[in-house]
Amino acid sequence: MQHALLVVNPKSRNGHSEVLTEAIDLLRNSGIEVEVCVTESASHMASCIENYREQDGVVIVAGGDGTISSALESIYKSNQTLAILPMGTANDFARSLGLPQDVVPAAQAIIDDERERINLAKVNGNYFVNVAHVGLGVEVTRELTSEMKKYFGVFAYLGAFTSVIKRNKSFKVAIKADDWEDSVIAIHLAVGNGRFYGGGNIVDEDSTLLDGQLNLFCLKPIRWWRLLLLGVNFRHGNLEKAERVVCKKARKISVKTSRPKRIQADGEFKTETPAEFEVIPKAIEVIVGDMPVPNKNKE
């Protein structure tokens, strides 16, 4: 690698300016020419990426999961190699790639230049890497504020979850996952592509960005205190045997609700139901660290 385009979200940059400068110096001192683009909008970021034409170059996105998600379509369609400097609150994509949570060590991973081709997911034509939510997950994201994330970090997700579970409403959903289908009453539905979401929760104990599958879990109505007891299952991704939870793996998933419901993916509003999900195996090349491996002890 001789050249890199560094795309910076100025909002994520707040509070990170010194470590970002240190990371850029580290990259440059290793012999990588770094071109910096401070983006003004999502469309500006897309333009920067699509106009990048260095033959031996890499696109580095400095920001959180939402910023990375906004860059995915341009990176995929331009056939660019993606690297990241994690500057968000949760940094779940960095976790799924096995990258350090701190900016300077993540820059060293870019220098080390270990690469993999990973899955991308789409919902109604919109790309995402982590998880898409309907129901409870959307309400948790709405509850989060920038002040909560700034002062409490990943613990803000737990606080938001506790605030919304008592008032969350159920909905009827028809699900088709490859050749399986069912209709249930639910309070939450999620479709995962990566391994981590919500500040380190695991989608499924077998999930990785390399498996070519989507992981669906759908939570039926349950008393709020019993939902809290499921926290350990959510954290470790072993929901398959949990009560009131439907889990499926598939390459294509269709979701229809009785009324249109908002869908958020990677922490950003993307579309609404009805929705068609699909996975694109080995879609983009990324620079990785020590990527997590599936649970080898699962029966």
Side-chain angles (χ1 to χ4, degrees):
M1 187 199 316
Q2 297 176 344
H3 196 282
L5 172 68
L6 174 60
V7 181
V8 181
N9 178 352
K11 293 182 180 179
S12 296
R13 190 178 184 179
N14 291 338
H16 291 84
S17 57
E18 290 185 7
V19 292
L20 184 58
T21 299
E22 187 178 348
I24 294 171
D25 289 342
L26 180 62
L27 292 169
R28 287 174 171 161
N29 289 337
S30 73
I32 301 172
E33 183 181 346
V34 182
E35 174 186 343
V36 180
C37 174
V38 179
T39 62
E40 300 170 358
S41 63
S43 60
H44 181 218
M45 177 170 60
S47 178
C48 288
I49 294 169
E50 290 164 7
N51 291 329
Y52 184 59
R53 291 289 182 266
E54 289 290 334
Q55 198 167 26
D56 187 40
V58 169
V59 175
I60 305 171
V61 178
D65 290 326
T67 302
I68 296 163
S69 189
S70 297
L72 290 174
E73 182 173 1
S74 299
I75 288 170
Y76 174 58
K77 292 184 175 179
S78 301
N79 197 28
Q80 304 280 10
T81 298
L82 170 65
I84 64 172
L85 294 177
M87 294 173 60
T89 302
N91 297 317
D92 286 308
F93 185 48
R95 297 174 197 268
S96 291
L97 295 178
L99 292 169
Q101 293 289 291
D102 295 321
V103 173
V104 176
Q108 181 60 53
I110 295 173
I111 296 167
D112 295 341
D113 200 22
E114 181 179 347
R115 306 187 184 197
E116 290 278 4
R117 294 198 71 87
I118 64 165
N119 309 333
L120 282 186
K122 290 174 70 175
V123 52
N124 290 350
N126 300 281
Y127 294 85
F128 67 97
V129 284
N130 293 332
V131 175
H133 296 279
V134 179
L136 182 62
V138 175
E139 296 305 314
V140 169
T141 305
R142 281 180 174 174
E143 187 76 12
L144 285 168
T145 64
S146 57
E147 288 79 13
M148 289 173 64
K149 291 193 286 185
K150 178 180 179 181
Y151 289 108
F152 299 107
V154 295
F155 294 104
Y157 288 85
L158 177 60
F161 176 76
T162 305
S163 297
V164 303
I165 56 175
K166 292 184 181 181
R167 66 174 187 264
N168 194 59
K169 296 180 180 179
S170 61
F171 55 94
K172 186 175 181 179
V173 56
I175 309 166
K176 184 175 181 181
D178 289 346
D179 57 355
W180 172 91
E181 57 185 296
D182 198 4
S183 182
V184 300
I185 303 296
I187 59 172
H188 175 70
L189 181 145
V191 176
N193 172 64
R195 181 168 179 82
F196 293 100
Y197 72 102
N201 295 315
I202 297 177
V203 174
D204 181 272
E205 55 191 347
D206 284 340
S207 62
T208 75
L209 282 162
L210 308 174
D211 59 12
Q213 294 189 102
L214 299 173
N215 289 272
L216 174 143
F217 60 90
C218 181
L219 182 61
K220 299 177 182 180
I222 187 172
R223 292 184 181 275
W224 68 267
W225 57 270
R226 295 185 69 180
L227 181 56
L228 284 177
L229 294 177
L230 284 176
V232 174
N233 300 82
F234 279 103
R235 195 66 182 171
H236 297 289
N238 54 358
L239 288 166
E240 194 169 321
K241 296 180 180 179
E243 186 181 358
R244 310 290 293 170
V245 182
V246 176
C247 296
K248 291 293 174 183
K249 298 179 186 294
R251 294 189 67 164
K252 290 188 177 182
I253 295 170
S254 173
V255 171
K256 297 180 180 179
T257 53
S258 50
R259 294 182 180 179
K261 293 191 71 66
R262 291 171 61 90
I263 298 176
Q264 286 186 331
D266 300 340
E268 305 291 324
F269 171 72
K270 295 288 186 178
T271 183
E272 62 182 24
T273 59
E276 300 291 332
F277 297 85
E278 65 176 302
V279 66
I280 310 171
K282 300 183 184 297
I284 60 172
E285 184 177 68
V286 295
I287 291 179
V288 302
D290 185 14
M291 290 190 74
V293 296
N295 181 9
K296 302 295 185 182
N297 299 318
K298 187 178 179 182
E299 297 182 355

